[in-house]
Amino acid sequence: MGVTRRAVLQAATAAGVAGAVGIGQSALAGHAVAASAPGDVVGKVTVGYQGWFACAGDGAPINGWWHWSQNWGQTPSTSNKAIAAWPDVRDYPTTYRTAFGNLGNGQPASLFSSHDQSTVDVHFRWMKQYGIDTAALQRFNPTGGEGPTRDAMVGKVRGAAESQGVKFYVMYDVSDWTSMQSDIKADWTNKMRTHTASPAYARQNDRPVVCVWGFGFNDNQRPFTPDACLDVVNWFKAQGCYVIGGVPTWWRTGDRDSRAGFSAVYYAFDMLSPWMVGRIGNAGDADNFYNVATVPDLAECAAHGIDYQPCVLPGGVSERQRAHGDFMWRQFYNMGRARVPSVYVSMFDEYNEGNQIAKTSESQVWVPTGSGFLALDEDGTACSSDYYLRLTGDGGRMLKGQIALTAVRPTPPLVGDTVPPTAPGNLRVSALTDTTVALAWTAATDNVGVTGYRIRRITGATATPVGAAAGDATTFTVTGLTAATTYTFDAQAIDAAGSISQPSGQIVATTTAGGSPTVDLARNRPASASSQTQVYGPGNAVDGNSNTYWESANNTFPQWLQVDLGSSTGVRRVVLALPPATAWATRTQTVSVHGSTDGASFGQLLAATPRTFDPATGNTVTLNLPAGTTARHVRLVFTANTGWPAGQVAEFGVYGG
């Protein structure tokens, strides 16, 4: 796991700011200074892109909750988290359920995986929408266990960049990379260089761009000698690359966070991008650094024919630095008055430090309860989840001269209809055939108005849109299904601004076979059990919500769960389900089925048999009862469970015959 850059730099922050000496306004303020003509990085807005989040069940080689939790092998929760801010996931087609408490609005707390192509497509679509020109894909030491996943991410970023018309390049972070000097050359030659053939790969001065971050830092994570670093820089230049250096803040003076003796390395780069995260935390700091770093750095680079790309950062959410955009905009303004032509925004998706510009929960309504996360309104000013993307777009336009230089943020924190609809309620099955499922729900609400609904089919961790209901319709029929097959669905509301609600509760439905009856006789009927754990009572198994469930007392078998159908009737099938989230890993429960007409004397309808529940196939099983079976009370008896020492059922459906 890469060590965050902020940790490297905290020690030098006080010295950097307190020891600064102002030099007044820039003599260069009348014109932009750049050694090179505009290209894919000069004169452009670049963002750092981590792309390093994975979830259990997403198919990533790393096979875990990569960078979401401290223990990647366990589901993220309040006690197992590695992030400082909670993303707004409403735009992601695929998300993964966590063990955090529900969001403040009651919706499940789910996260995205960078390994899903749909996620990277969303990110690069945002870049295009909000005027971000180029993404610097972070690449840490690829020779260890993270390597295969990082390799896969390059291909996904390439595909998204090509489809969205955004540029990208590889940015090597040499932190803790002991054999960097030889490995980085082999990695570029054998793996990364091939991506420069993409029309989306960034080029500057007609050369493919590559960045090396970390040379010269005065810490133990990057103990490389000047000669080793200079060898790498010159090697990349010999390969025909335009080489950017992610260098210490005090590269020019060679002190504080910079090792002495690295001047030859710094001046060998084509572009310098000094690090700033952890250096400044408010507008006053930003003004000070304008004088002591930005202006003299720009002049030094111009004097040596080097391009300059300073950092702009939104500020840490948990540190309450953002001041509803004032902190970030002050940096953009200072870059503008210094006539800086190029900027690097750090970072696009750095939820681990809370320093991201990608969409983030705007209020506690969209944050898991009890998690301790702050939202973008932490200082009392409401901000839309895309606010820092909008600010980045505004800053880019100002630096490019498309809007006037201004110390006042052009865009307010909230614009137009920024309130998403509520989730549709009470999603239910109104009818079934062998090839269709008719769904109905309670209408969502919105501050302006709901314009439609999106219906999604849930398969394992994947949610795939299967249709839409327009206007105020609250029904939809899914067609083209397979007979005698179990499906899971949910619904989302959409408003005129395109905001999408959190999903409704999920519903499980099994299509008919040979005209068998379709009504779940157990739905909302009285249920009882031999025992229960905490709030996981028997009523959860018949409420039509696959995300609620019954769980028996632990470590004591047998256990039973039963439902009263109200009167003796013919029963032909029992359909059982567990919650569909992939966090419910595949498990086998041994269960028998018993029936009674009076609730006192039960006879066995099906013998005890191991039944496998697999999230990849909906986490459901169907038990076919003997022809002619009649019962009022249907009881399930559990004697084993390979996934948990208790009986567990989210949906207990009974169908007639």
Side-chain angles (χ1 to χ4, degrees), residues 1 58 76 82 120 129 142 144 148 167 230 278 363 375 387 407 421 473 506 525 527 539 583 592 605 613 618 649:
M1 177 178 180
D58 63 1
V120 188
Q129 177 182 355
K167 301 294 184 178
L230 187 59
S363 71
Y387 181 46
Q506 294 178 353
R525 297 297 305 168
S592 58
L605 305 179
F613 295 79
V649 176

Tab-separated table of all heavy atoms in Angstrom, residues 1 58 76 82 120 129 142 144 148 167 230 278 363 375 387 407 421 473 506 525 527 539 583 592 605 613 618 649:
chain	number	residue	atom	x	y	z
A	1	MET	N	0.849	-1.197	0.000
A	1	MET	CA	0.000	0.000	0.000
A	1	MET	C	0.876	1.235	0.000
A	1	MET	O	1.776	1.373	0.827
A	1	MET	CB	-0.920	-0.004	1.218
A	1	MET	CG	-1.796	1.250	1.341
A	1	MET	SD	-2.892	1.130	2.774
A	1	MET	CE	-3.741	2.683	2.642
A	58	ASP	N	-15.345	-7.561	-6.761
A	58	ASP	CA	-15.317	-6.786	-8.010
A	58	ASP	C	-14.452	-7.431	-9.090
A	58	ASP	O	-14.358	-6.918	-10.201
A	58	ASP	CB	-14.832	-5.358	-7.745
A	58	ASP	CG	-13.396	-5.296	-7.220
A	58	ASP	OD1	-12.762	-6.369	-7.078
A	58	ASP	OD2	-12.916	-4.185	-6.937
A	76	PRO	N	-15.312	-2.647	4.967
A	76	PRO	CA	-15.160	-1.359	5.636
A	76	PRO	C	-16.275	-1.103	6.643
A	76	PRO	O	-17.441	-1.430	6.400
A	76	PRO	CB	-15.211	-0.346	4.486
A	76	PRO	CG	-14.838	-1.122	3.276
A	76	PRO	CD	-15.363	-2.503	3.498
A	82	ALA	N	-10.192	3.445	6.090
A	82	ALA	CA	-8.930	4.070	5.700
A	82	ALA	C	-9.175	5.370	4.948
A	82	ALA	O	-8.272	5.902	4.326
A	82	ALA	CB	-8.113	3.119	4.834
A	120	VAL	N	-14.498	4.116	-13.758
A	120	VAL	CA	-13.504	4.970	-14.409
A	120	VAL	C	-14.172	5.808	-15.498
A	120	VAL	O	-13.832	6.982	-15.699
A	120	VAL	CB	-12.354	4.121	-14.979
A	120	VAL	CG1	-11.231	5.023	-15.487
A	120	VAL	CG2	-11.806	3.168	-13.920
A	129	GLN	N	-16.736	16.923	-18.379
A	129	GLN	CA	-17.849	17.831	-18.097
A	129	GLN	C	-17.382	19.096	-17.393
A	129	GLN	O	-17.907	20.189	-17.649
A	129	GLN	CB	-18.889	17.101	-17.238
A	129	GLN	CG	-20.075	17.955	-16.805
A	129	GLN	CD	-21.029	17.178	-15.914
A	129	GLN	OE1	-20.870	15.965	-15.688
A	129	GLN	NE2	-22.032	17.864	-15.391
A	142	PRO	N	5.117	-1.328	-8.991
A	142	PRO	CA	4.213	-2.332	-9.564
A	142	PRO	C	4.733	-3.761	-9.469
A	142	PRO	O	4.138	-4.673	-10.048
A	142	PRO	CB	4.131	-1.893	-11.033
A	142	PRO	CG	5.503	-1.359	-11.317
A	142	PRO	CD	5.998	-0.734	-10.023
A	144	GLY	N	5.128	-5.632	-6.693
A	144	GLY	CA	4.600	-6.414	-5.583
A	144	GLY	C	3.208	-6.940	-5.860
A	144	GLY	O	2.745	-7.021	-7.000
A	148	PRO	N	-0.593	-6.475	-10.376
A	148	PRO	CA	-1.603	-6.860	-11.375
A	148	PRO	C	-2.820	-5.946	-11.393
A	148	PRO	O	-3.360	-5.646	-12.464
A	148	PRO	CB	-1.962	-8.287	-10.953
A	148	PRO	CG	-0.740	-8.800	-10.261
A	148	PRO	CD	-0.188	-7.617	-9.526
A	167	LYS	N	-7.088	13.547	-21.763
A	167	LYS	CA	-5.733	13.015	-21.866
A	167	LYS	C	-5.316	12.372	-20.538
A	167	LYS	O	-5.834	12.706	-19.474
A	167	LYS	CB	-4.745	14.123	-22.229
A	167	LYS	CG	-5.046	14.822	-23.554
A	167	LYS	CD	-4.882	13.884	-24.745
A	167	LYS	CE	-5.091	14.634	-26.056
A	167	LYS	NZ	-4.891	13.756	-27.237
A	230	LEU	N	19.247	11.269	-11.293
A	230	LEU	CA	19.594	11.906	-12.560
A	230	LEU	C	19.677	10.870	-13.670
A	230	LEU	O	19.276	11.134	-14.820
A	230	LEU	CB	20.923	12.651	-12.415
A	230	LEU	CG	21.345	13.515	-13.604
A	230	LEU	CD1	20.294	14.583	-13.900
A	230	LEU	CD2	22.697	14.173	-13.314
A	278	GLY	N	-0.287	19.591	2.715
A	278	GLY	CA	0.327	19.640	4.028
A	278	GLY	C	1.118	20.904	4.282
A	278	GLY	O	1.578	21.139	5.395
A	363	SER	N	-23.832	16.521	2.746
A	363	SER	CA	-24.377	16.740	4.087
A	363	SER	C	-24.454	15.404	4.803
A	363	SER	O	-24.216	14.344	4.211
A	363	SER	CB	-25.774	17.373	4.000
A	363	SER	OG	-26.726	16.424	3.511
A	375	ALA	N	-19.070	16.204	6.091
A	375	ALA	CA	-19.518	16.390	4.715
A	375	ALA	C	-19.048	17.762	4.228
A	375	ALA	O	-18.421	18.523	4.975
A	375	ALA	CB	-21.031	16.263	4.629
A	387	TYR	N	-19.294	20.489	-6.138
A	387	TYR	CA	-18.850	21.876	-6.033
A	387	TYR	C	-17.373	22.047	-6.381
A	387	TYR	O	-16.980	22.986	-7.088
A	387	TYR	CB	-19.132	22.411	-4.637
A	387	TYR	CG	-18.724	23.855	-4.443
A	387	TYR	CD1	-19.050	24.822	-5.397
A	387	TYR	CD2	-18.013	24.256	-3.325
A	387	TYR	CE1	-18.686	26.140	-5.236
A	387	TYR	CE2	-17.633	25.578	-3.153
A	387	TYR	CZ	-17.969	26.515	-4.106
A	387	TYR	OH	-17.594	27.820	-3.952
A	407	ALA	N	-10.838	37.581	-7.509
A	407	ALA	CA	-10.604	36.997	-6.196
A	407	ALA	C	-11.885	36.412	-5.601
A	407	ALA	O	-11.845	35.783	-4.551
A	407	ALA	CB	-10.034	38.052	-5.254
A	421	PRO	N	-33.830	13.574	-5.609
A	421	PRO	CA	-35.096	13.042	-5.099
A	421	PRO	C	-34.851	12.068	-3.950
A	421	PRO	O	-33.746	11.563	-3.752
A	421	PRO	CB	-35.680	12.299	-6.320
A	421	PRO	CG	-34.883	12.749	-7.494
A	421	PRO	CD	-33.539	13.132	-6.978
A	473	ALA	N	-45.194	7.915	-13.368
A	473	ALA	CA	-45.529	6.495	-13.342
A	473	ALA	C	-44.861	5.815	-12.158
A	473	ALA	O	-43.719	6.120	-11.824
A	473	ALA	CB	-45.095	5.833	-14.645
A	506	GLN	N	-34.297	-3.458	-2.234
A	506	GLN	CA	-34.300	-4.455	-3.294
A	506	GLN	C	-35.464	-5.430	-3.121
A	506	GLN	O	-35.917	-5.700	-2.015
A	506	GLN	CB	-32.975	-5.209	-3.308
A	506	GLN	CG	-31.796	-4.329	-3.678
A	506	GLN	CD	-30.473	-5.055	-3.641
A	506	GLN	OE1	-30.402	-6.201	-3.218
A	506	GLN	NE2	-29.412	-4.387	-4.085
A	525	ARG	N	-47.183	-11.847	6.300
A	525	ARG	CA	-47.967	-12.702	7.202
A	525	ARG	C	-47.231	-12.833	8.537
A	525	ARG	O	-46.032	-12.584	8.631
A	525	ARG	CB	-48.170	-14.086	6.579
A	525	ARG	CG	-48.978	-14.090	5.287
A	525	ARG	CD	-50.392	-13.601	5.511
A	525	ARG	NE	-51.055	-14.376	6.555
A	525	ARG	CZ	-52.213	-14.039	7.134
A	525	ARG	NH1	-52.824	-12.909	6.778
A	525	ARG	NH2	-52.745	-14.801	8.065
A	527	ALA	N	-45.013	-14.090	11.350
A	527	ALA	CA	-43.869	-14.998	11.346
A	527	ALA	C	-43.355	-15.145	12.775
A	527	ALA	O	-43.443	-14.221	13.589
A	527	ALA	CB	-42.764	-14.483	10.438
A	539	GLY	N	-40.000	-11.242	11.443
A	539	GLY	CA	-40.774	-10.414	10.520
A	539	GLY	C	-39.959	-9.891	9.357
A	539	GLY	O	-40.498	-9.589	8.288
A	583	ALA	N	-20.996	-8.777	0.224
A	583	ALA	CA	-20.439	-8.976	1.562
A	583	ALA	C	-20.980	-10.245	2.202
A	583	ALA	O	-20.353	-10.830	3.085
A	583	ALA	CB	-20.759	-7.771	2.440
A	592	SER	N	-34.476	-28.142	6.429
A	592	SER	CA	-35.615	-29.006	6.102
A	592	SER	C	-36.882	-28.176	6.178
A	592	SER	O	-36.911	-27.103	6.810
A	592	SER	CB	-35.686	-30.194	7.066
A	592	SER	OG	-35.797	-29.756	8.411
A	605	LEU	N	-42.012	-31.995	5.156
A	605	LEU	CA	-42.342	-31.879	3.739
A	605	LEU	C	-41.110	-32.116	2.861
A	605	LEU	O	-41.233	-32.676	1.774
A	605	LEU	CB	-42.923	-30.491	3.443
A	605	LEU	CG	-44.135	-30.067	4.284
A	605	LEU	CD1	-44.582	-28.658	3.899
A	605	LEU	CD2	-45.279	-31.055	4.117
A	613	PHE	N	-26.253	-20.714	-1.021
A	613	PHE	CA	-26.639	-19.343	-1.359
A	613	PHE	C	-25.400	-18.646	-1.916
A	613	PHE	O	-24.383	-18.534	-1.238
A	613	PHE	CB	-27.139	-18.612	-0.117
A	613	PHE	CG	-28.405	-19.176	0.472
A	613	PHE	CD1	-28.375	-20.322	1.254
A	613	PHE	CD2	-29.623	-18.562	0.238
A	613	PHE	CE1	-29.539	-20.842	1.805
A	613	PHE	CE2	-30.793	-19.074	0.774
A	613	PHE	CZ	-30.755	-20.224	1.561
A	618	GLY	N	-27.793	-14.279	-7.189
A	618	GLY	CA	-28.924	-13.682	-6.504
A	618	GLY	C	-29.073	-14.072	-5.053
A	618	GLY	O	-29.986	-13.599	-4.372
A	649	VAL	N	-32.180	-15.867	7.102
A	649	VAL	CA	-33.086	-15.757	5.957
A	649	VAL	C	-33.489	-14.296	5.800
A	649	VAL	O	-33.921	-13.661	6.764
A	649	VAL	CB	-34.361	-16.616	6.131
A	649	VAL	CG1	-35.318	-16.390	4.960
A	649	VAL	CG2	-34.009	-18.092	6.228
